[in-house]
Amino acid sequence: MTDTTIRKDTLDKDLDKLVHVEEATAVVARPLVAPGIALLFIAMSAVFASVYVFDEPRAVLIVAAAAIGGYMALNIGANDVANNVGPAVGAKALTMGGALVIAAIFESAGALIAGGDVVGTISSGIVDPANFENPEIFIRLMLAALISSALWINLATWIGAPVSTTHAVVGGVLGAGVTAAGFATVNWAVMGAIAASWVISPFLGGLIAAVFLALIKTAIIYQDDKIAAARRWLPLLIAIMAGTFAAYLASKGLRRVVSLSTTSITALGIGSFLAVWLAAHFYIARRAIGLENRNQSLRALFSVPLIFAAALLSFAHGANDVANAIGPVAAIVQVAHSSEVTTAVAIPFWVMVIGALGISFGLVLFGAKLIHMVGEQITKLNPMRAFCVALSAALTVIVASALGMPVSSTHIAVGAVFGVGFFREWYTTNSSRRRRYMERKNAAHRAAREQSSEDQVASAAKLDDDLDAAPASSEEIRRRRLVRRAHVTTIAAAWVTTVPAAALLSALIFLALSLFA
């Protein structure tokens, strides 16, 4: 009996040890799940490409380019897509899981439906194909650009810096192009326009976001009857978003099915604006029933439009930034098929699929870190402020993509976040409307306290629950900083560094590829 007991105790201890080992192994292996899935996607991109090009003379190069393009798309999803849904997550309008699902769906849709025009600029607009009579050199150039930009974005994501993937890929093409054929090969007019858009886009995004926030504060938040003001103005903001989106979709996506004139596209945009404006009036009126006259009620009214704005921005981002992943791949496929470098770049559908799926996978696997950074760590966002950010960024990116200009969606979205924060600082200090509004509310609080009625005090407190509702001296207001200054310098440094770093890395990779060619 004693021997049996000893053996059973020993067996139990051994089983306990095995269980602990298994648990420890699971904990250690958990961080490796996402990289493992990413590697599987890269491998599947290569297999997917080989199905279409297995009998091509340069099939190995095309398959390699497809795998690297998939890797690049993963990094775009991990770094850039945070700008689209980060404000909605920071404003608590979306959970992280909901944001990932919405972004993945609309990023893919934007890339597949409306991603074609910008791809042409990335693949053939930066360097002059006439300077590359040898197609092998041009293929190595595009491979170097893909590898360098993907590596740089991967590094930036790892350290938590929201850099511009557009900067990275343009810098990669620039560095390899100069190394291959000298400075004369670069289309400096196109580069100048792109560089100007990098400077203009964050200021434009911030300015538009500030204008929308000024409208919301003046016309809705600091009105005595907030709910009535929201019923009047919020349908207009929703209609602006819908009309712009409809016109863009008609001009970019539907033209592959049916050709529409400029007049027809304009009429469709105006018609969508009017239809959504009317529908939004009924929707907001019904949602507003029973809501108290307080800012918390406004947040509830803005939450659903904010989700639509985030979806719109994801669509616009997919249309604009898929070029960064598949533009060089499309150029490689074109040159490999024709054995000559041309300005006309056909975009195979399978290439678009790799880019679209890669962006979505990258977001789901690695995007949470930068979503928190953009949505929560720059400035405090609520649904009203986040709606301004998303609507501003969507409008700016949509216009840029319609013009075929690869602007940085990172610059636009982060610029909009900064614009909202800096405008709040200015408005808190300088707005006479806000000052008069707060004086009335503070008087109501004092009157309620003097009456010594807990119910009246609670009622007065509900009149305003804005962040700035507490009384503050003018000196305290001047000292308030609603934007974290450290992020301004950090992000600006990352933006400035990206182009030269990607260009230098691309030049080195091009030289290495040339040595082994």
Side-chain angles (χ1 to χ4, degrees):
M1 177 63 70
T2 303
D3 293 341
T4 303
T5 303
I6 293 174
R7 284 197 299 271
K8 286 183 178 180
D9 291 342
T10 303
L11 179 60
D12 289 342
K13 291 179 180 179
D14 290 341
L15 289 176
D16 286 340
K17 290 178 181 179
L18 289 174
V19 170
H20 291 318
V21 170
E22 290 176 352
E23 291 176 350
T25 303
V27 171
V28 172
R30 194 173 301 152
L32 302 177
V33 173
I37 296 175
L39 288 174
L40 179 61
F41 173 78
I42 294 171
M44 293 305 297
S45 298
V47 173
F48 186 56
S50 66
V51 172
Y52 290 90
V53 301
F54 69 93
D55 57 346
E56 299 283 341
R58 294 187 176 92
V60 175
L61 283 175
I62 296 176
V63 170
I68 299 170
Y71 172 53
M72 177 64 172
L74 288 170
N75 284 291
I76 292 173
N79 193 291
D80 235 17
V81 182
N83 308 310
N84 310 328
V85 295
V89 173
K92 306 298 188 293
L94 277 175
T95 63
M96 181 63 70
L100 294 176
V101 170
I102 288 176
I105 293 172
F106 284 90
E107 286 280 341
S108 300
L112 295 175
I113 294 174
D117 283 351
V118 182
V119 169
T121 303
I122 288 290
S123 57
S124 61
I126 298 170
V127 295
D128 186 1
N131 292 324
F132 299 95
E133 296 181 358
N134 186 345
E136 302 294 339
I137 295 178
F138 187 78
I139 290 175
R140 289 199 296 272
L141 184 156
M142 288 297 169
L143 282 174
L146 268 178
I147 297 171
S148 63
S149 54
L151 289 174
W152 175 256
I153 298 166
N154 198 339
L155 175 62
T157 304
W158 181 66
I159 64 176
V163 299
S164 168
T165 57
T166 305
H167 280 204
V169 73
V170 170
V173 173
L174 177 66
V178 170
T179 305
F183 287 94
T185 192
V186 179
N187 190 332
W188 292 109
V190 172
M191 280 299 304
I194 294 173
S197 73
W198 294 339
V199 176
I200 294 171
S201 56
F203 288 102
L204 185 59
L207 177 62
I208 295 175
V211 168
F212 279 122
L213 184 59
L215 172 63
I216 291 172
K217 281 184 174 292
T218 302
I220 302 177
I221 293 177
Y222 292 121
Q223 292 290 323
D224 291 330
D225 191 341
K226 302 173 187 291
I227 304 303
R231 292 175 62 178
R232 183 166 53 251
W233 286 101
L234 185 52
L236 176 63
L237 297 174
I238 298 172
I240 291 173
M241 178 180 66
T244 305
F245 178 69
Y248 174 74
L249 182 60
S251 63
K252 295 298 170 185
L254 297 181
R255 73 176 187 176
R256 301 182 183 182
V257 180
V258 58
S259 179
L260 297 176
S261 64
T262 303
T263 302
S264 299
I265 293 172
T266 303
L268 180 60
I270 295 174
S272 300
F273 171 86
L274 295 175
V276 172
W277 193 5
L278 181 61
H281 270 291
F282 289 105
Y283 169 76
I284 296 299
R286 189 173 65 177
R287 287 269 295 172
I289 295 174
L291 293 180
E292 298 181 11
N293 186 35
R294 52 189 302 207
N295 281 1
Q296 190 63 39
S297 299
L298 295 181
R299 292 166 188 164
L301 289 176
F302 270 88
S303 292
V304 173
L306 173 58
I307 294 172
F308 279 99
L312 169 57
L313 184 56
S314 295
F315 183 95
H317 178 269
N320 195 70
D321 276 38
V322 69
N324 297 335
I326 67 170
V329 177
I332 291 170
V333 172
Q334 179 76 12
V335 173
H337 284 168
S338 62
S339 296
E340 60 182 18
V341 183
T342 62
T343 56
V345 178
I347 306 166
F349 183 73
W350 64 265
V351 175
M352 296 289 291
V353 170
I354 290 176
L357 293 180
I359 290 175
S360 298
F361 271 106
L363 166 68
V364 173
L365 295 174
F366 307 107
K369 180 178 182 180
L370 287 181
I371 286 176
H372 284 302
M373 193 275 179
V374 173
E376 300 174 352
Q377 298 179 14
I378 295 176
T379 191
K380 183 178 177 63
L381 295 176
N382 61 22
M384 289 86 81
R385 299 166 198 152
F387 180 83
C388 296
V389 171
L391 183 55
S392 168
L395 291 172
T396 309
V397 172
I398 283 172
V399 171
S401 188
L403 297 175
M405 182 60 63
V407 297
S408 167
S409 60
T410 300
H411 283 201
I412 294 169
V414 176
V417 174
F418 280 127
V420 163
F422 285 123
F423 174 77
R424 289 179 61 219
E425 287 187 2
W426 177 88
Y427 194 87
T428 299
T429 305
N430 299 284
S431 172
S432 58
R433 175 183 292 274
R434 177 191 176 278
R435 186 164 52 252
R436 291 193 301 269
Y437 177 86
M438 296 307 302
E439 288 172 355
R440 294 197 302 272
K441 297 307 174 186
N442 292 334
H445 291 320
R446 286 193 298 270
R449 292 191 187 94
E450 289 172 359
Q451 294 176 9
S452 302
S453 169
E454 294 183 2
D455 292 338
Q456 289 174 326
V457 171
S459 176
K462 287 182 178 179
L463 291 176
D464 190 276
D465 59 350
D466 186 62
L467 176 66
D468 304 318
S473 65
S474 58
E475 181 63 27
E476 181 183 349
I477 291 175
R478 283 194 294 271
R479 289 200 307 269
R480 284 182 177 177
R481 291 294 180 263
L482 304 179
V483 178
R484 295 184 181 179
R485 270 29 179 199
H487 287 309
V488 178
T489 55
T490 300
I491 293 174
W495 289 354
V496 171
T497 306
T498 294
V499 171
L504 178 60
L505 186 58
S506 179
L508 295 175
I509 292 173
F510 178 82
L511 292 175
L513 293 175
S514 299
L515 289 177
F516 292 103

